[in-house]
Short mmCIF file of all heavy atoms in Angstrom, two decimals:
data_model
loop_
_atom_site.label_atom_id
_atom_site.label_comp_id
_atom_site.label_asym_id
_atom_site.label_seq_id
_atom_site.Cartn_x
_atom_site.Cartn_y
_atom_site.Cartn_z
N PHE A 1 185.76 65.33 -82.77
CA PHE A 1 184.98 66.47 -83.04
C PHE A 1 184.79 66.66 -84.55
O PHE A 1 183.74 67.18 -85.03
CB PHE A 1 185.58 67.68 -82.42
CG PHE A 1 185.46 67.69 -80.91
CD1 PHE A 1 186.31 67.05 -80.08
CD2 PHE A 1 184.35 68.30 -80.30
CE1 PHE A 1 186.18 66.98 -78.73
CE2 PHE A 1 184.17 68.30 -78.96
CZ PHE A 1 185.06 67.61 -78.10
N LYS A 2 185.79 66.30 -85.36
CA LYS A 2 185.70 66.40 -86.80
C LYS A 2 184.53 65.49 -87.28
O LYS A 2 183.65 66.02 -88.04
CB LYS A 2 186.99 65.93 -87.46
CG LYS A 2 186.94 65.74 -88.94
CD LYS A 2 188.18 65.09 -89.47
CE LYS A 2 188.10 64.71 -90.91
NZ LYS A 2 189.34 64.09 -91.41
N ALA A 3 184.50 64.25 -86.82
CA ALA A 3 183.47 63.36 -87.26
C ALA A 3 182.06 63.84 -86.80
O ALA A 3 181.13 63.76 -87.59
CB ALA A 3 183.72 61.93 -86.66
N ARG A 4 181.98 64.33 -85.60
CA ARG A 4 180.63 64.75 -85.09
C ARG A 4 180.18 65.97 -85.81
O ARG A 4 179.04 66.18 -86.20
CB ARG A 4 180.72 64.97 -83.58
CG ARG A 4 179.37 65.12 -82.97
CD ARG A 4 178.60 63.76 -83.17
NE ARG A 4 177.27 63.80 -82.64
CZ ARG A 4 176.15 63.86 -83.43
NH1 ARG A 4 176.27 63.86 -84.71
NH2 ARG A 4 174.97 63.87 -82.83
N GLY A 5 181.11 66.92 -86.10
CA GLY A 5 180.79 68.11 -86.90
C GLY A 5 180.34 67.78 -88.28
O GLY A 5 179.43 68.45 -88.84
N GLN A 6 180.94 66.71 -88.92
CA GLN A 6 180.51 66.37 -90.19
C GLN A 6 179.08 65.77 -90.20
O GLN A 6 178.30 66.14 -91.07
CB GLN A 6 181.46 65.31 -90.80
CG GLN A 6 182.80 65.95 -91.23
CD GLN A 6 183.80 64.96 -91.71
OE1 GLN A 6 184.17 64.03 -90.97
NE2 GLN A 6 184.26 65.10 -92.92
N THR A 7 178.79 64.98 -89.18
CA THR A 7 177.42 64.39 -89.11
C THR A 7 176.40 65.48 -88.84
O THR A 7 175.21 65.37 -89.28
CB THR A 7 177.32 63.24 -88.15
OG1 THR A 7 177.63 63.76 -86.80
CG2 THR A 7 178.19 62.10 -88.53
N LEU A 8 176.77 66.56 -88.15
CA LEU A 8 175.86 67.67 -87.84
C LEU A 8 175.80 68.69 -88.99
O LEU A 8 174.99 69.64 -88.93
CB LEU A 8 176.32 68.41 -86.57
CG LEU A 8 176.13 67.65 -85.27
CD1 LEU A 8 176.78 68.36 -84.11
CD2 LEU A 8 174.60 67.45 -84.99
N GLY A 9 176.64 68.48 -90.00
CA GLY A 9 176.62 69.42 -91.18
C GLY A 9 177.31 70.75 -90.92
O GLY A 9 177.06 71.77 -91.53
N VAL A 10 178.23 70.72 -89.93
CA VAL A 10 178.99 71.96 -89.63
C VAL A 10 179.95 72.33 -90.76
O VAL A 10 180.09 73.47 -91.12
CB VAL A 10 179.79 71.81 -88.30
CG1 VAL A 10 180.67 72.96 -88.00
CG2 VAL A 10 178.81 71.56 -87.11
N TRP A 11 180.61 71.33 -91.27
CA TRP A 11 181.60 71.54 -92.36
C TRP A 11 181.62 70.39 -93.25
O TRP A 11 181.09 69.30 -93.06
CB TRP A 11 182.99 71.79 -91.81
CG TRP A 11 183.38 70.91 -90.63
CD1 TRP A 11 183.36 69.53 -90.59
CD2 TRP A 11 183.82 71.35 -89.38
NE1 TRP A 11 183.79 69.12 -89.44
CE2 TRP A 11 184.05 70.24 -88.58
CE3 TRP A 11 184.04 72.61 -88.79
CZ2 TRP A 11 184.58 70.26 -87.29
CZ3 TRP A 11 184.50 72.64 -87.48
CH2 TRP A 11 184.72 71.47 -86.76
N HIS A 12 182.25 70.52 -94.40
CA HIS A 12 182.50 69.44 -95.37
C HIS A 12 184.04 69.31 -95.55
O HIS A 12 184.74 70.32 -95.32
CB HIS A 12 181.76 69.60 -96.68
CG HIS A 12 182.20 70.79 -97.49
ND1 HIS A 12 181.77 72.05 -97.25
CD2 HIS A 12 183.11 70.90 -98.45
CE1 HIS A 12 182.32 72.93 -98.10
NE2 HIS A 12 183.16 72.24 -98.81
N GLU A 13 184.45 68.15 -95.97
CA GLU A 13 185.91 67.97 -96.13
C GLU A 13 186.26 67.80 -97.60
O GLU A 13 185.56 67.15 -98.35
CB GLU A 13 186.37 66.66 -95.38
CG GLU A 13 187.85 66.45 -95.43
CD GLU A 13 188.31 65.32 -94.55
OE1 GLU A 13 187.46 64.48 -94.13
OE2 GLU A 13 189.50 65.24 -94.22
N GLN A 14 187.28 68.45 -97.98
CA GLN A 14 187.86 68.34 -99.31
C GLN A 14 189.37 68.63 -99.27
O GLN A 14 189.76 69.57 -98.62
CB GLN A 14 187.18 69.35 -100.23
CG GLN A 14 187.56 69.27 -101.71
CD GLN A 14 186.73 70.16 -102.58
OE1 GLN A 14 186.06 71.08 -102.18
NE2 GLN A 14 186.79 69.93 -103.88
N ASN A 15 190.13 67.75 -99.89
CA ASN A 15 191.57 67.92 -100.03
C ASN A 15 192.21 68.04 -98.61
O ASN A 15 193.12 68.86 -98.44
CB ASN A 15 191.95 69.09 -100.83
CG ASN A 15 191.47 68.97 -102.29
OD1 ASN A 15 191.41 67.90 -102.85
ND2 ASN A 15 191.05 70.03 -102.87
N GLY A 16 191.79 67.19 -97.64
CA GLY A 16 192.35 67.21 -96.31
C GLY A 16 192.09 68.39 -95.45
O GLY A 16 192.78 68.60 -94.41
N ARG A 17 191.09 69.16 -95.80
CA ARG A 17 190.72 70.32 -94.96
C ARG A 17 189.22 70.41 -94.86
O ARG A 17 188.46 69.97 -95.71
CB ARG A 17 191.27 71.62 -95.51
CG ARG A 17 190.77 72.13 -96.77
CD ARG A 17 191.52 73.26 -97.34
NE ARG A 17 190.64 74.46 -97.30
CZ ARG A 17 191.01 75.67 -97.62
NH1 ARG A 17 192.27 75.88 -97.97
NH2 ARG A 17 190.20 76.65 -97.55
N LEU A 18 188.78 70.95 -93.74
CA LEU A 18 187.34 71.17 -93.53
C LEU A 18 186.97 72.63 -93.78
O LEU A 18 187.79 73.55 -93.46
CB LEU A 18 187.00 70.84 -92.04
CG LEU A 18 187.34 69.42 -91.60
CD1 LEU A 18 187.22 69.34 -90.10
CD2 LEU A 18 186.41 68.43 -92.28
N THR A 19 185.80 72.83 -94.38
CA THR A 19 185.31 74.20 -94.60
C THR A 19 183.92 74.29 -94.12
O THR A 19 183.07 73.39 -94.33
CB THR A 19 185.35 74.50 -96.15
OG1 THR A 19 186.66 74.29 -96.66
CG2 THR A 19 184.92 75.94 -96.40
N THR A 20 183.67 75.40 -93.36
CA THR A 20 182.28 75.57 -92.85
C THR A 20 181.32 75.65 -93.98
O THR A 20 181.55 76.15 -95.05
CB THR A 20 182.21 76.95 -92.02
OG1 THR A 20 182.53 77.98 -92.82
CG2 THR A 20 183.07 76.85 -90.77
N VAL A 21 180.10 75.01 -93.73
CA VAL A 21 179.08 75.03 -94.75
C VAL A 21 178.40 76.33 -94.80
O VAL A 21 178.14 76.91 -95.87
CB VAL A 21 178.05 73.90 -94.38
CG1 VAL A 21 176.84 73.97 -95.34
CG2 VAL A 21 178.69 72.54 -94.43
N GLU A 22 178.24 77.02 -93.66
CA GLU A 22 177.62 78.33 -93.57
C GLU A 22 178.73 79.37 -93.55
O GLU A 22 179.84 79.15 -93.03
CB GLU A 22 176.75 78.45 -92.29
CG GLU A 22 175.55 77.65 -92.24
CD GLU A 22 174.47 78.15 -93.19
OE1 GLU A 22 174.53 79.31 -93.67
OE2 GLU A 22 173.58 77.35 -93.47
N ASN A 23 178.42 80.58 -94.02
CA ASN A 23 179.32 81.67 -93.91
C ASN A 23 178.76 82.95 -93.21
O ASN A 23 179.45 83.80 -92.83
CB ASN A 23 179.90 82.11 -95.26
CG ASN A 23 180.91 81.11 -95.79
OD1 ASN A 23 181.87 80.72 -94.99
ND2 ASN A 23 180.80 80.68 -96.97
N ASP A 24 177.42 82.94 -93.10
CA ASP A 24 176.74 84.03 -92.42
C ASP A 24 176.97 83.97 -90.86
O ASP A 24 176.87 82.85 -90.30
CB ASP A 24 175.21 83.91 -92.72
CG ASP A 24 174.43 84.93 -92.01
OD1 ASP A 24 174.51 86.11 -92.33
OD2 ASP A 24 173.76 84.54 -91.04
N GLU A 25 177.29 85.08 -90.31
CA GLU A 25 177.61 85.16 -88.87
C GLU A 25 176.53 84.57 -87.98
O GLU A 25 176.75 83.75 -87.12
CB GLU A 25 177.97 86.59 -88.43
CG GLU A 25 178.36 86.68 -86.95
CD GLU A 25 178.67 88.13 -86.52
OE1 GLU A 25 178.70 89.01 -87.35
OE2 GLU A 25 178.93 88.24 -85.33
N ALA A 26 175.32 85.00 -88.22
CA ALA A 26 174.16 84.51 -87.37
C ALA A 26 173.95 83.02 -87.54
O ALA A 26 173.72 82.30 -86.56
CB ALA A 26 172.89 85.29 -87.72
N ALA A 27 174.08 82.57 -88.77
CA ALA A 27 173.95 81.12 -89.02
C ALA A 27 175.04 80.28 -88.33
O ALA A 27 174.80 79.25 -87.72
CB ALA A 27 173.88 80.82 -90.52
N LEU A 28 176.31 80.83 -88.44
CA LEU A 28 177.42 80.15 -87.78
C LEU A 28 177.30 80.17 -86.23
O LEU A 28 177.62 79.15 -85.58
CB LEU A 28 178.76 80.79 -88.21
CG LEU A 28 179.19 80.40 -89.62
CD1 LEU A 28 180.30 81.30 -90.07
CD2 LEU A 28 179.60 78.94 -89.65
N ASN A 29 176.80 81.24 -85.70
CA ASN A 29 176.50 81.31 -84.24
C ASN A 29 175.59 80.14 -83.86
O ASN A 29 175.85 79.45 -82.92
CB ASN A 29 175.88 82.61 -83.83
CG ASN A 29 176.82 83.78 -83.91
OD1 ASN A 29 178.04 83.61 -83.97
ND2 ASN A 29 176.26 84.97 -83.91
N ALA A 30 174.50 79.93 -84.66
CA ALA A 30 173.50 78.90 -84.37
C ALA A 30 174.14 77.53 -84.58
O ALA A 30 173.91 76.60 -83.79
CB ALA A 30 172.26 79.14 -85.25
#
């Protein structure tokens, strides 16, 4: 799921952790 989320642009990885690309609630819902 990590790999698939990265290819979909859900999050980016830095220092061994993933962070969501979006922060807006509506955008994250979508």
